[in-house]
Amino acid sequence: MNATLPLQLDLLTTHYNYYAVVVLLGIGLYMLVDSPNLVKKVIGMNVFQTGIFLFFITLAYRSGGNPPIITEGGGPYVSPLPHVLILTAIVVGVSLTAVALALIVRIYSEYGTLDEETLEQLYYD
Amino acid sequence: MIEHLPVLLVVLPIVGGSVPLVAGLFTDRAGWPIATATMLVHAPLAGWLWWAVWDAGTIEYAVGGYAAPYGIELVVDGLSATVALLVSVVALGLLAYARRAGPRSNTFFSMYLLLVTGLTGMSVTGDVFNLYVFLEITGLAAYGLVASGREASSAVAALKYLIIGTVGASLYLLGVGYLLAGTGTLNMADLAGKLGSTLGYDSTLVLTAFGLMVGGLTVKVALFPLHTWQPDAYANAPDTVSAFISALVSTVSAYALARLLFSVFTVDFLTAVPAARWALLGLASVSIIAGSALAVSQSNVQRMLAYSSVSQFGLVVAGFTIATPVAVVGATIHLVGHAIMKGGLFAATGVIERETGARSVRSYAGMGARSPLAAGSFAVLALAMVGVPPAVGFFGKWYIVVGAVESGLWPVVVVLLASTLLTLAYFARLVERLYFAEPTIREGEEAAVADGGESVSTGMVAVVVTAAVLSIALIAGVPVLDSLLNETLPPLL
């Protein structure tokens, strides 16, 4: 028991990036599922995606790493690949948010509400 | 030229899709001709690619000249070439339908071509992150197309589709992150080698990645219980869009799932981790039963067809998960056949609604006489979907069942056979009503027709009849597909 405790403490203190990822994913999903307001749902979607972005960027990190630019002397550098991937994913996320907000504007102008439950009643009538 | 075919198929529609936006500055009617011209070039190229694969086997293409595993690789084998050809042909055919039926704005046809880009990209890519990007392009275009209906409810359906679809794609992306962390590569062939040797199939990382990626894709395929976006999206979208996305979006997602199973995780993984195979088979079986049960209880025909898709994709996923050559050929046949049949059925509902105003199961009574061609095609397609022998629907199911029997998966065999009865339960009811019931709608008291209320064009009827003819004629393609897949797939199986 005592022998394993430092290891767990070690995990707790060194992997906080991953805890942040899990917390962000959780908050995002919770907002997506539970919030009745459509705009807040979209914000939840963004938080959820940000959690994933953070996860990829954490993967790229090397402690003491330099930017991935070739210089004299070299040394460790962070992996550029996840950064590039996330740049793409951010673009995708922005487009999705734009489409979602455009749809919300249209829903609001047609139904006059952003509350999901009210909308559901109007929608199925 | 021939060596650049895979990338041309992706680039062509995205370039073609941007033209209507520019042309829109000068005229409102540029969309359809440009989309048709693009697809008229695209379809022969897809056919040529299919022929090249048939002739020479798997084609690999390094995008931008950067060799795999560092560059993005496009890989076209028999399965991908077949799906790419299907996408191209269906998209070209439905343009004949869209000319009169669709929302005819320039932006609509831009999104139409963007969707073709995404779907073709998904079918030819050999890179898991590239697959995510094309998955989202497909998604974005599909959300936009669903929202292009005139009624406000289409925006609600599109937003629901967007939110659920984004969560699915994001879960898939998270899975890609796990694979990247474990192996440092994104190339499918490279991953397949490294997952087994360096990580071990039963490592937590591989299992989590499998769960996330497959879970994310099953949202897009719309397996029960992740199907909830589908009925709303199909029922509220314009008729052209319902036919298009019901024929292709879930189909290509199911293809991507198969690609993931065979090219990334490989059959060895399914054998090494029986729990994964049983989980997928269980999900597929539940989908088959639940989709059918929900379809029976629908009053709106388009919603019924949407739930029918949930059930049919259960069948396809079961075929891929059994993963014997026979079952995989069967699943592919059913994938292609379902695309033709379901696209045709949605197109037929559009024609019937325009001709008679009928859109609920109840009001379909007696419409066989009022709308003879569309109703006749509807009946043929419905029976083909049930799996009456001369139709292609029979062969897909037959191959899958034979595969299940050979693997000794008896519970699955029972579900597969029961699925035919369940399919009959909801389609026979409609066919019986079309021809043998007293009409509930009289001539002259038509309901208002959505999407502008324009009449039916020859092109629309031609599309429906062609789909019905193809659902029978495709049996000629079964042996061809069989031998093509048996040539290019064995390294994977």
Side-chain angles (χ1 to χ4, degrees):
Chain A
M1 181 86 186
N2 282 335
T4 57
L5 193 61
L7 177 68
Q8 285 164 358
L9 276 178
D10 192 43
L11 267 178
L12 199 65
T13 49
T14 55
H15 287 64
Y16 45 84
N17 276 21
Y18 293 96
Y19 295 110
V21 170
V22 172
V23 169
L24 280 177
L25 290 180
I27 292 174
L29 262 188
Y30 182 76
M31 280 178 79
L32 261 175
V33 174
D34 195 60
S35 172
N37 186 305
L38 292 179
V39 174
K40 286 185 184 165
K41 268 190 199 292
V42 173
I43 296 173
M45 192 175 89
N46 282 331
V47 172
F48 184 69
Q49 288 181 321
T50 309
I52 297 174
F53 301 162
L54 183 60
F55 174 65
F56 270 81
I57 292 165
T58 303
L59 292 181
Y61 182 73
R62 296 283 171 277
S63 71
N66 296 315
I69 301 167
I70 298 172
T71 51
E72 280 182 43
Y77 60 92
V78 298
S79 167
L81 181 63
H83 289 95
V84 179
L85 299 185
I86 284 321
L87 216 51
T88 314
I90 287 173
V91 173
V92 170
V94 169
S95 334
L96 280 168
T97 310
V99 174
L101 291 177
L103 290 173
I104 288 174
V105 169
R106 181 154 168 227
I107 290 170
Y108 188 74
S109 68
E110 296 273 0
Y111 292 104
T113 177
L114 287 178
D115 185 75
E116 203 192 15
E117 282 167 29
T118 324
L119 201 63
E120 208 120 286
Q121 280 169 359
L122 289 169
Y123 179 64
Y124 284 109
D125 281 346
Chain B
M1 170 105 169
I2 174 84
E3 70 273 12
H4 292 300
L5 265 184
V7 77
L8 260 181
L9 282 182
V10 181
V11 171
L12 183 67
I14 207 168
V15 173
S18 55
V19 177
L21 293 179
V22 181
L25 296 173
F26 308 104
T27 168
D28 298 338
R29 289 275 176 236
W32 191 81
I34 292 169
T36 311
T38 310
M39 290 316 296
L40 277 176
V41 179
H42 193 264
L45 287 181
W48 191 9
L49 179 67
W50 191 88
W51 181 253
V53 171
W54 168 260
D55 210 36
T58 306
I59 294 174
E60 286 161 10
Y61 181 85
V63 178
Y66 297 99
Y70 301 107
I72 295 168
E73 191 186 24
L74 304 182
V75 182
V76 189
D77 61 6
L79 188 56
S80 10
T82 307
V83 175
L85 182 61
L86 175 78
V87 168
S88 192
V89 169
V90 172
L92 177 63
L94 277 172
L95 278 172
Y97 193 88
R99 184 162 195 222
R100 179 70 65 85
R104 288 174 289 178
S105 61
N106 290 331
T107 43
F108 173 80
F109 287 104
S110 280
M111 279 191 288
Y112 192 96
L113 290 177
L114 189 63
L115 187 53
V116 175
T117 306
L119 294 169
T120 321
M122 276 172 81
S123 45
V124 297
T125 187
D127 181 287
V128 281
F129 187 79
N130 210 230
L131 180 61
Y132 164 76
V133 174
F134 282 119
L135 196 67
E136 287 288 41
I137 291 178
T138 304
L140 272 171
Y143 311 144
L145 286 176
V146 169
S148 66
R150 294 206 169 190
E151 286 164 51
S153 59
S154 61
V156 181
L159 187 67
K160 190 173 178 183
Y161 184 9
L162 186 148
I163 287 175
I164 298 176
T166 304
V167 172
S170 300
L171 288 177
Y172 174 84
L173 181 60
L174 201 55
V176 171
Y178 272 78
L179 289 186
L180 180 67
T183 63
T185 180
L186 295 165
N187 183 277
M188 287 184 185
D190 207 20
L191 275 171
K194 286 187 177 168
L195 283 185
S197 55
T198 61
L199 288 172
Y201 287 126
D202 52 354
S203 74
T204 322
L205 188 139
V206 176
L207 290 177
T208 317
F210 179 82
L212 286 171
M213 292 171 94
V214 169
L217 278 178
T218 47
V219 173
K220 296 276 183 179
V221 181
L223 288 186
F224 186 87
L226 303 167
H227 66 283
T228 48
W229 56 270
Q230 201 180 40
D232 284 338
Y234 287 7
N236 290 302
D239 295 325
T240 317
V241 177
S242 314
F244 191 22
I245 62 177
S246 70
L248 295 178
V249 172
S250 291
T251 304
V252 178
S253 305
Y255 159 81
L257 185 63
R259 188 89 292 171
L260 207 61
L261 284 183
F262 300 139
S263 297
V264 177
F265 289 98
T266 69
V267 176
D268 292 338
F269 169 80
L270 287 179
T271 318
V273 188
R277 168 173 281 175
W278 283 109
L280 259 183
L281 277 178
L283 192 65
S285 304
V286 171
S287 264
I288 293 172
I289 305 291
S292 305
L294 286 165
V296 173
S297 64
Q298 294 306 310
S299 58
N300 179 308
V301 177
Q302 292 198 327
R303 292 186 83 85
M304 187 200 91
L305 291 176
Y307 282 113
S308 157
S309 284
V310 174
S311 157
Q312 300 299 324
F313 276 105
L315 208 62
V316 170
V317 171
F320 281 132
T321 315
I322 293 166
T324 62
V326 178
V328 171
V329 171
T332 313
I333 294 171
H334 202 61
L335 205 59
V336 174
H338 177 269
I340 302 287
M341 293 186 284
K342 193 49 67 67
L345 282 168
F346 269 105
T349 58
V351 174
I352 292 176
E353 187 183 335
R354 271 151 211 268
E355 283 186 337
T356 67
R359 57 187 305 167
S360 65
V361 174
R362 193 170 150 273
S363 60
Y364 262 47
M367 290 304 142
R370 290 269 307 280
S371 180
L373 273 176
S377 307
F378 189 94
V380 170
L381 289 164
L383 292 176
M385 193 70 104
V386 174
V388 177
V392 71
F394 167 75
F395 287 95
K397 285 188 188 179
W398 176 251
Y399 275 62
I400 298 174
V401 171
V402 169
V405 170
E406 279 178 0
S407 312
L409 299 163
W410 294 105
V412 182
V413 176
V414 172
V415 173
L416 291 177
L417 293 177
S419 85
T420 304
L421 282 178
L422 290 165
T423 314
L424 190 67
Y426 53 83
F427 274 130
R429 183 176 63 143
L430 259 182
V431 174
E432 186 263 342
R433 248 169 230 237
L434 271 176
Y435 287 104
F436 303 110
E438 278 296 306
T440 52
I441 302 181
R442 304 266 158 229
E443 203 127 2
E445 50 179 77
E446 270 95 283
V449 178
D451 308 331
E454 299 237 18
S455 58
V456 176
S457 69
T458 325
M460 291 170 68
V461 178
V463 166
V464 175
V465 173
T466 310
V469 172
L470 271 181
S471 73
I472 311 285
L474 270 182
I475 54 171
V478 169
V480 180
L481 198 57
D482 193 350
S483 66
L484 173 67
L485 291 181
N486 278 322
E487 250 174 56
T488 63
L489 278 186
L492 304 176
L493 299 174

